[in-house]
Amino acid sequence: MDFDTGTPIWRQLLDDFSRRITSGAWERGSQIPSVRDLSAEYGVNPNTMQKALTELERTGLVASRRGLGRFVTEDAGTVRELGKDLAKTSVRNFITDMKTLGLSLSEAQNLLNSQWKGRD
């Protein structure tokens, strides 16, 4: 993963893990990899990884089971709400970028429509 220097690494990890959960890459009820394994996978300090996982746990998306590790929530509603929140953030970023580039609403809509359909 290429990290953005303008955002804390733990925050970028949290966002990536949230996407893994909403996309189903980390299925509801499944065990997630250990801090050590994730640190090695992402090439980050274990303390940074621990911070990201602690925050993920605080959101209720994962829970620790003593002696077993961390598991993704089985609550479909929680996962669905996370997906909506991620989508809203993406839309806000898209709108900000389009405004910065000077595109009108209709130009941005046309661009979105053409990309959605796979046309350039």
Side-chain angles (χ1 to χ4, degrees):
M1 179 172 175
D2 292 326
F3 294 107
D4 173 16
T5 58
T7 305
I9 291 173
W10 71 267
R11 179 71 224 187
Q12 294 175 66
L13 292 168
L14 177 63
D15 291 344
D16 190 58
F17 300 157
S18 297
R19 284 185 187 86
R20 283 186 179 201
I21 292 170
T22 58
S23 71
W26 284 355
E27 296 179 7
R28 292 192 318 263
S30 68
Q31 185 174 13
I32 65 171
S34 69
V35 170
R36 179 176 291 164
D37 290 343
L38 287 170
S39 295
E41 178 183 340
Y42 283 86
V44 300
N45 185 294
N47 292 328
T48 302
M49 186 58 67
Q50 181 63 44
K51 181 173 175 83
L53 292 172
T54 298
E55 183 62 22
L56 190 64
E57 198 168 334
R58 190 189 68 71
T59 67
L61 292 171
V62 301
S64 291
R65 295 185 192 158
R66 191 176 188 96
L68 297 175
R70 287 185 173 95
F71 292 80
V72 176
T73 183
E74 294 188 30
D75 184 351
T78 299
V79 173
R80 189 171 33 260
E81 286 304 311
L82 171 64
K84 288 179 185 177
D85 289 345
L86 290 172
K88 286 178 187 175
T89 298
S90 293
V91 168
R92 278 194 299 271
N93 291 340
F94 174 77
I95 290 169
T96 299
D97 290 345
M98 295 305 100
K99 286 180 177 179
T100 300
L101 293 170
L103 272 67
S104 68
L105 174 59
S106 63
E107 290 171 323
Q109 287 171 327
N110 289 337
L111 176 62
L112 181 60
N113 285 333
S114 69
Q115 292 299 307
W116 191 275
K117 295 173 183 172
R119 297 179 295 202
D120 286 328

